[in-house]
Structure formats: C-alpha cells, structure tokens
C-alpha cells in the first residue's frame, strides 16, 4: 500500500498505528490512532436498546384522559397539553428504563462491522493499517452482565445493562440480612449494595433464567462484563485451544465481588452471595498482552493489549494524575477523581474504585467515583419521547433562546438516582412549571440537570478526598470529555454551577483514546512518562470560567436540592 508524498510521489505507508474498540451503551466504535494520538480513521454503529417491560403508552394515556389529572393543563408553544400527558411521559420513561437489555450477539456483530468499516476507510485513504497496526485496546460499558455457555458460545439470556434496576428487591433482601445494610460489602469492594453493579444481576439471572441456573450447576456457564465477552470471542471463543476468559481490574472493581486491596475475587463475598468462583474470569491489569485476534475476525493476528472500563479509560485518556478529576458526559455522567495509591473510603455517597493499573507489576491508582445514571439520555428523552427537539444537537440553540429556566428544575431520575443519593425509589420530576414555561425552559433545565448532578458529586469528592485534591494555580480544574461536551452552553453552565474552570480537550472522545494508550503502552508505542507525566500528545484545551456570583450559584443549587427531594419515594406510583 502506498500513500501520497509531500510532492505527489507515492511512498509506502510506514506509519505505526494503535486501535481501540469502544463498546458503549448505545453504540460501538473502532478507532485507529497514529503515534501522535491523532484519529486516523473510525467507524461507528448503533445497536438495539431492548426494554422488556416497556409500558403501553396508549393505554396509559387513555387512563390519564379519564382521570382527575385531565383538568390540569399547561401551555407549551401555543399548544394545549394535558399535564397528565406530561406525567405519563415521565412514567413511561421510568418504566422503559427499569429493565434494559442488549443482545450480546448483536454487540459482537457491531464490533465486527466497526472493524471492517474502519479498515475500508483506511484503504480508501491509501493507508496500510492492517500491516502497521501494533495493538488493539478495549474499553466498554461497565457492569452490564452476560452469562453464556462455554460449550455453545451462545448467551443464555440478553445482557442485563448497567442502568437496569430490576434487582431492587434482591438488594433490599441483601440489606436486611446484615447489620450494615447497604454498606455490607463496602469495606472490601468500595461499593454499596445497588442494582447498578454486576453481582445482583448475576443473582437475578441465576434465580430467574432456568438455563442460567442449569449452566451454573453443570459448570457450563461463564460470566463476564462486556470486555470479557468481547475478549473471549475475539480470541477464538468456542474454537480456541485455550479460551481467554479474563477481565481487567477496573471492570472487576464494578462487580461488587473484587477485593480492592488484592485485586482478586473475594471468596467470602462469593460464598455469602452464592456465586461460584468457576463462572468468573481471571483478573488482569489494564496494560498487558491479552491474546491475538483469531482468524475469523478482521485484523486477525493483531494483539489485544489493553483493557479498561469506559470511565477508567477516559481517566487515562485525560491523563489524570493523583488529585485530578474528570467528568465524562455520555448516556450518563461519570466523575472520577484519581486518589493515587491511596484507597479513600467515602462518607458522602461516592464509590471507592480503581483509576487504572498500568501493568501487572505497576502500582494501582485508586479513585473516588460518582456515577449519574441519566445525563445525555435526558436529551434523548426530550427528542424521542416528547418531541421537543428533532435531534440532540438542537438542544443548545433552543436552550439559548431563554436566559434562564424560568424557575423550572428537572430531575431525570428515570431509574432512580445514583451518587451521592443512591435512591432507587426516586423517579423523574419536572417542577416549577407555570403558564409562562415553554419548551426552551425545559431544554435549558435538562442541560442544567446534568450540571447540578456533577456539582453534587464533586462537592462530595472534595469532602472525602481532603488534601488529595489537586489544583492548578490555586484553582481546582474539572477535565471533561464525551460527546455532549461539544455543547458550549452545557460547558458554560457547568463552570457557572461549579465556580471552577472546566477544561475541554481537543479530542473529546478520551474513552477510546485511553484504551489506545493502554494498548500502546503494552507494546511499547508510548511510555508512561509520555502519557501521564509529559502529556506530550495533548493539544491546548478550551477552558470555560464561571460567569455568575457565588450568591446566585448557591440560590440555584438550593432550589435544585428541593427539586431532588420531590423525586424521592415515587417508584411505586400506580396508574
């Protein structure tokens, strides 16, 4: 393969490339980087979101129309809309997101097609990516749980997605069994008992899917988060002489089953929950040679050489050292503060987890994390369920047509609230509506809802971390990434509500970049000093500074907290 030279002559493509598989909640991407960490080619595909218990909207609407709520109305853009309709749409959203599943086979298909698409685009550009690709890293949606058959290679059931809350009753049962309640396993794994984490999803599958129960009992079943499922299949799976059944320490840290100190499965917890060790993968570091891509996949023979859960990959991609924090704005919002080699327990509703471990013998960097279930998903809800916008990108221009929310506050607790509240009984509320309210106010309130949640998490982090929190020039900086950060209004609102600078890198897709860094480190394309210490591969970022007073910020945050309180205890509302 040849590429165009500076004077038009043809010359061989001798560049060095590193790639990343970024398997997210709604889409899969394959991205190829050069040694300057610049994107060379990428290909992305969305896949199906499965809601097994989605309610019948028409049936609910008819019940609303015949109810007392029909008399309550609001005016939005000169249209008469039943307040019952608005309430109904909120409950539809919360019902639809209580059970959320993915087809693991469809995910594999999107990985294959993303690889093929990137390879084809490279050929169109005259790039010899196949011969010059040194390694592939993997990053993935965390906690999402798959159990499959080692003898057939097929999943017994759909993947139960991280935001799925069907295991609430299992969590309540586990809490009641122990004096420490929801903090029963915190001292070992850093996590409270909650539907978010993989362990209770495993229990649900064992209890409710007969095939899973039989597979576990016979020794045929294998468990994995999405990273494990991808690695097992990419390295040959059923047809491999020695199937590679592994997970990395960051994904393992999100199961509720790993000891943060030893980075191994915690046998007493497994025994306590009745989860057999035999179904669990081996835990490895984030930077090491995992296995080669098998012959039946694109990029056959290329080394899989790095793996991190998505938020940990973004932390590495943002080059966060001890004391530095990042926030990723995607389907949810995820804030991670690197606490260095120190395990920091949280007294403010945060999770103690791993930041990254850059090799089998490298020190472990730990972290505090705050996870927000609904971030960008709230914008999608405005688009898909309410029809207020036609595309997600429209929300910025719509929200900018008003100077404030007009007193409207939106708490998008569609499937409960994560950090720092941990209230799975919460449901979405939109408060402060008057006849003056229009769709622009709701759009702006939706953007602010992400920012308020991030602020609450960072406030808790500062309380827990103490002197670990790093500052630059005396100011705390929040590094941001993810697709939603292209929204300048969102970033400005975030800086306003934090009262601290918000720093957006040139490449906002730092999740995939972090996975590429890990793979490149494993095969010697980059050194740790280049990535973490020198930051040599990052261009000058965009910085947003607060434009409001402390008094205005405090008043708005007080109002937001009142709205959050209104969302509690609504999970059992009956229609």
């Amino acid at each position: 393969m040849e590429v165009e030279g500076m004077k038009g002559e043809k010359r061989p493509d001798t560049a060095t490339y590193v790639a990343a598989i970024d398997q997210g909640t709604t889409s899969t991407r394959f991205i190829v980087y050069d040694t300057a960490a610049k994107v060379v080619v990428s290909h992305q595909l969305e896949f199906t979101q499965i809601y097994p218990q989605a309610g019948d909207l028409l049936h609910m609407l008819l019940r609303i129309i015949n109810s007392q709520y029909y008399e309550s109305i609001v005016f939005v853009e000169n249209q008469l809309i039943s307040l019952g309709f608005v309430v109904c749409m909120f409950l539809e959203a919360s019902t639809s997101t209580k059970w959320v599943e993915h087809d693991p086979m469809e995910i594999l298909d999107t990985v294959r097609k993303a690889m093929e698409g990137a390879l084809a685009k490279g050929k169109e550009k005259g790039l010899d990516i196949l011969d010059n690709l040194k390694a592939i890293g993997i990053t993935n949606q965390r906690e999402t749980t798959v159990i499959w058959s080692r003898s057939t290679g097929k999943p017994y059931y759909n993947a139960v997605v991280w935001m799925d809350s069907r295991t609430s009753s299992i969590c309540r049962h586990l809490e009641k069994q122990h004096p420490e309640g929801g903090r029963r396993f915190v001292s070992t794994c850093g996590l409270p008992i909650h539907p978010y984490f993989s362990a209770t999803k495993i229990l649900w599958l064992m209890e409710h899917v007969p095939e899973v129960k039989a597979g576990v009992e016979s020794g045929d079943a294998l468990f994995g988060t999405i990273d494990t499922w991808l690695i097992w299949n990419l390295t040959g799976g059923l047809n491999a002489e020695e199937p590679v059944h592994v997970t990395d320490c960051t994904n393992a840290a999100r199961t509720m089953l790993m000891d943060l100190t030893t980075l191994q499965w915690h046998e007493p917890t497994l025994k306590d929950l009745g989860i057999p060790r035999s179904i669990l993968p081996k835990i490895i570091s984030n930077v090491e040679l995992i296995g080669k891509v098998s012959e039946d996949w694109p990029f056959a023979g290329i080394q899989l050489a790095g793996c991190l859960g998505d938020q940990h990959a973004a932390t590495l991609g943002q080059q966060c050292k001890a004391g530095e924090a990042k926030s990723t704005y995607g389907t949810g919002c995820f804030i991670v503060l690197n606490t260095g080699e120190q395990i920091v327990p949280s007294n403010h509703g945060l999770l103690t987890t791993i930041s990254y471990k850059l090799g089998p013998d490298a020190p472990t960097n730990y972290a505090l994390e705050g996870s927000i279930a609904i971030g960008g998903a709230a914008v999608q809800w405005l688009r898909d369920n309410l029809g207020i916008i036609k595309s997600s990108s429209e929300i910025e221009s719509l929200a900018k047509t008003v100077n404030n929310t007009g007193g409207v506050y939106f708490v998008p607790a569609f499937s409960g609230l994560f950090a720092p509240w941990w209230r799975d009984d919460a449901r979405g509320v939109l408060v402060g509506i008057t006849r003056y309210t229009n769709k622009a106010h709701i759009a702006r309130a939706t953007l602010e809802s992400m920012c308020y949640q991030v602020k609450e998490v960072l406030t808790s982090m500062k309380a827990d971390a103490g002197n670990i929190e790093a500052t630059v020039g005396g100011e705390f900086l929040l590094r941001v990434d993810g697709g939603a950060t292209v929204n300048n209004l969102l970033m400005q609102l975030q800086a306003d509500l934090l009262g601290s600078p918000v720093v957006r890198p040139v490449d906002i897709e730092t999740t995939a970049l972090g996975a590429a860094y890990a793979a490149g480190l494993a095969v010697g394309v980059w050194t740790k000093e280049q990535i973490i210490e020198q930051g040599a591969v990052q261009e000058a970022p965009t910085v947003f500074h607060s434009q409001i007073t402390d008094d205005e910020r405090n008043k708005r945050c007080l109002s937001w907290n009142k709205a959050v309180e209104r969302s509690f205890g609504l999970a059992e509302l009956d229609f």
Side-chain angles (χ1 to χ4, degrees), residues 423-477:
R423 294 290 296 256
D424 55 18
D425 64 334
R427 288 297 179 266
V429 297
L430 188 65
V431 301
I433 297 174
T434 66
R435 288 188 63 176
Y436 167 72
T437 302
N438 63 40
K439 65 182 182 181
H441 295 114
I442 295 174
R444 195 175 181 103
T446 299
L447 294 180
E448 287 195 355
S449 73
M450 286 186 260
C451 301
Y452 282 117
Q453 292 179 91
V454 170
K455 176 180 170 55
E456 291 292 332
V457 169
L458 282 168
T459 299
S460 297
M461 283 182 172
K462 292 177 181 181
D464 282 330
N467 59 7
I468 290 177
E469 178 194 320
T471 61
V472 178
E475 284 189 298
F476 174 78
L477 302 178

Side-chain angles (χ1 to χ4, degrees), residues 47 53 69 75 112 143 151 157 220 283 295 314 347 360 368 480 569:
F47 56 90
Q53 287 196 343
Y69 297 108
F75 285 85
R112 182 182 298 276
E143 296 95 17
S151 61
Y157 188 82
D220 186 53
I283 300 173
E295 294 299 321
N347 297 312
L368 285 170
V480 298

Side-chain angles (χ1 to χ4, degrees), residues 76-94:
V76 179
E77 292 291 301
N78 298 319
Q79 296 181 25
L80 188 64
I81 299 179
S82 164
L83 179 59
F85 175 80
V86 176
V87 174
C88 175
M89 295 304 288
F90 268 100
L91 291 189
E92 168 65 11
S94 77

Side-chain angles (χ1 to χ4, degrees), residues 399-420:
K400 287 173 72 174
T401 63
V402 292
N403 294 324
N404 52 58
T405 66
V408 172
Y409 289 84
F410 176 30
V411 183
F414 295 158
S415 54
L417 289 170
F418 286 7

Side-chain angles (χ1 to χ4, degrees), residues 410-564:
F410 176 30
V411 183
F414 295 158
S415 54
L417 289 170
F418 286 7
W421 302 278
W422 295 108
R423 294 290 296 256
D424 55 18
D425 64 334
R427 288 297 179 266
V429 297
L430 188 65
V431 301
I433 297 174
T434 66
R435 288 188 63 176
Y436 167 72
T437 302
N438 63 40
K439 65 182 182 181
H441 295 114
I442 295 174
R444 195 175 181 103
T446 299
L447 294 180
E448 287 195 355
S449 73
M450 286 186 260
C451 301
Y452 282 117
Q453 292 179 91
V454 170
K455 176 180 170 55
E456 291 292 332
V457 169
L458 282 168
T459 299
S460 297
M461 283 182 172
K462 292 177 181 181
D464 282 330
N467 59 7
I468 290 177
E469 178 194 320
T471 61
V472 178
E475 284 189 298
F476 174 78
L477 302 178
L478 176 65
R479 304 182 186 278
V480 298
D481 59 82
T485 60
V486 299
N487 187 322
N488 289 325
L489 176 59
L490 175 66
M491 295 296 93
Q492 185 58 57
L493 290 170
Q494 187 67 83
D496 289 344
L497 292 174
L498 284 180
S500 301
V502 169
V503 181
R504 181 179 66 194
V506 173
D507 183 357
I508 62 171
E509 300 298 346
T510 58
T511 300
L513 181 58
Y517 280 164
L521 280 170
V523 297
V525 173
W526 295 298
T527 65
K528 179 182 175 182
E529 288 70 31
Q530 284 177 305
I531 294 173
I532 299 297
E533 302 302 331
Q534 298 172 10
V537 296
Q538 290 289 336
E539 297 180 16
T542 302
V543 182
F544 297 83
H545 296 276
S546 176
Q547 298 176 353
I548 66 174
T549 65
D550 290 343
D551 185 55
E552 181 180 353
R553 181 181 305 111
N554 292 335
K555 287 180 179 178
R556 288 164 64 180
C557 290
L558 181 62
S559 296
W560 159 260
N561 285 322
K562 289 180 180 179
V564 170

Side-chain angles (χ1 to χ4, degrees), residues 256-276:
M256 224 167 70
L257 304 174
M258 190 190 81
D259 187 328
L260 283 176
T261 303
T262 65
L263 305 190
Q264 298 298 321
W265 301 119
H266 189 242
E267 293 294 343
T269 300
L270 298 179
K271 183 178 180 181
D272 205 359
L273 295 177
I275 295 176

Side-chain angles (χ1 to χ4, degrees), residues 123-138:
K123 289 180 179 179
E124 290 174 4
K125 290 185 173 184
L127 303 177
D128 193 355
I129 293 173
L130 188 60
D131 287 339
N132 296 323
L133 185 66
K134 300 304 180 185
I136 299 172
I138 293 176

